Amino acid sequence: MLRPRLPDVLPLPTAAVTPQRTEALVFSAGRVVAPYVGVGVGAFAAVVVGILLTALRVAVAVPAVSVAVAAVVLRSLLSSAHKR
Protein backbone atom coordinates (compact mmCIF):
# COMPACT_ATOMS: atom_id res chain seq x y z
CA MET A 1 0.00 0.00 0.00
CA LEU A 2 2.20 2.87 1.22
CA ARG A 3 5.87 2.20 0.98
CA PRO A 4 8.47 4.41 2.65
CA ARG A 5 10.82 6.12 0.25
CA LEU A 6 14.42 6.84 1.06
CA PRO A 7 15.50 10.42 0.45
CA ASP A 8 17.80 11.13 -2.44
CA VAL A 9 21.42 11.16 -1.39
CA LEU A 10 23.00 14.56 -1.85
CA PRO A 11 26.69 14.76 -2.72
CA LEU A 12 28.89 15.67 0.20
CA PRO A 13 30.43 19.12 0.01
CA THR A 14 34.16 19.17 -0.43
CA ALA A 15 36.13 21.66 1.58
CA ALA A 16 39.66 22.85 1.07
CA VAL A 17 42.02 21.55 3.73
CA THR A 18 43.73 24.34 5.63
CA PRO A 19 46.91 23.65 7.58
CA GLN A 20 46.58 23.75 11.35
CA ARG A 21 48.70 26.07 13.49
CA THR A 22 51.24 24.10 15.41
CA GLU A 23 52.81 27.03 17.24
CA ALA A 24 52.63 26.90 20.99
CA LEU A 25 51.59 29.96 22.94
CA VAL A 26 54.66 31.40 24.61
CA PHE A 27 54.55 34.19 27.17
CA SER A 28 57.07 36.89 26.59
CA ALA A 29 59.53 37.68 29.35
CA GLY A 30 58.08 41.19 29.78
CA ARG A 31 54.59 40.00 30.75
CA VAL A 32 53.57 39.10 34.26
CA VAL A 33 51.47 35.97 34.56
CA ALA A 34 50.44 36.57 38.18
CA PRO A 35 47.36 38.78 37.44
CA TYR A 36 45.87 36.04 35.30
CA VAL A 37 46.40 33.45 38.02
CA GLY A 38 44.98 35.82 40.65
CA VAL A 39 41.75 36.30 38.72
CA GLY A 40 41.24 32.54 38.48
CA VAL A 41 41.90 32.02 42.19
CA GLY A 42 39.59 34.90 43.11
CA ALA A 43 36.80 33.55 40.94
CA PHE A 44 37.25 30.08 42.42
CA ALA A 45 37.17 31.48 45.96
CA ALA A 46 34.00 33.45 45.15
CA VAL A 47 32.30 30.31 43.86
CA VAL A 48 33.31 28.31 46.94
CA VAL A 49 32.06 31.05 49.29
CA GLY A 50 28.81 31.25 47.34
CA ILE A 51 28.28 27.50 47.63
CA LEU A 52 28.99 27.57 51.35
CA LEU A 53 26.58 30.45 51.97
CA THR A 54 23.87 28.70 49.97
CA ALA A 55 24.40 25.50 51.94
CA LEU A 56 24.16 27.41 55.23
CA ARG A 57 20.92 29.09 54.13
CA VAL A 58 19.43 25.73 53.22
CA ALA A 59 20.62 24.24 56.51
CA VAL A 60 18.76 27.00 58.39
CA ALA A 61 15.68 27.10 56.14
CA VAL A 62 14.79 23.39 56.33
CA PRO A 63 14.50 23.23 60.14
CA ALA A 64 12.70 26.60 60.17
CA VAL A 65 10.05 25.29 57.81
CA SER A 66 9.61 22.10 59.83
CA VAL A 67 9.25 24.09 63.07
CA ALA A 68 6.68 26.36 61.40
CA VAL A 69 4.65 23.36 60.21
CA ALA A 70 4.79 21.80 63.68
CA ALA A 71 3.63 25.09 65.23
CA VAL A 72 0.65 25.28 62.87
CA VAL A 73 -0.34 21.69 63.63
CA LEU A 74 -0.03 22.19 67.41
CA ARG A 75 -2.00 25.43 67.20
CA SER A 76 -4.82 23.75 65.30
CA LEU A 77 -4.87 20.85 67.77
CA LEU A 78 -4.96 23.17 70.79
CA SER A 79 -7.61 25.46 69.31
CA SER A 80 -9.88 22.51 68.52
CA ALA A 81 -9.44 21.21 72.09
CA HIS A 82 -10.52 24.58 73.59
CA LYS A 83 -13.67 24.68 71.43
CA ARG A 84 -15.00 21.37 72.78
Side-chain angles (χ1 to χ4, degrees):
M1 195 162 142
L2 294 176
R3 291 186 178 192
R5 288 183 37 189
L6 295 175
D8 296 332
V9 178
L10 299 175
L12 295 175
T14 58
V17 177
T18 58
Q20 298 289 330
R21 285 182 54 178
T22 57
E23 300 171 4
L25 295 176
V26 179
F27 290 104
S28 65
R31 285 190 175 175
V32 178
V33 182
Y36 301 116
V37 174
V39 171
V41 171
F44 178 74
V47 168
V48 170
V49 169
I51 290 172
L52 289 176
L53 289 177
T54 304
L56 287 173
R57 284 183 181 176
V58 170
V60 170
V62 170
V65 169
S66 64
V67 167
V69 169
V72 169
V73 169
L74 286 174
R75 182 178 173 187
S76 68
L77 288 174
L78 291 175
S79 67
S80 65
H82 286 287
K83 289 181 183 178
R84 291 185 191 175

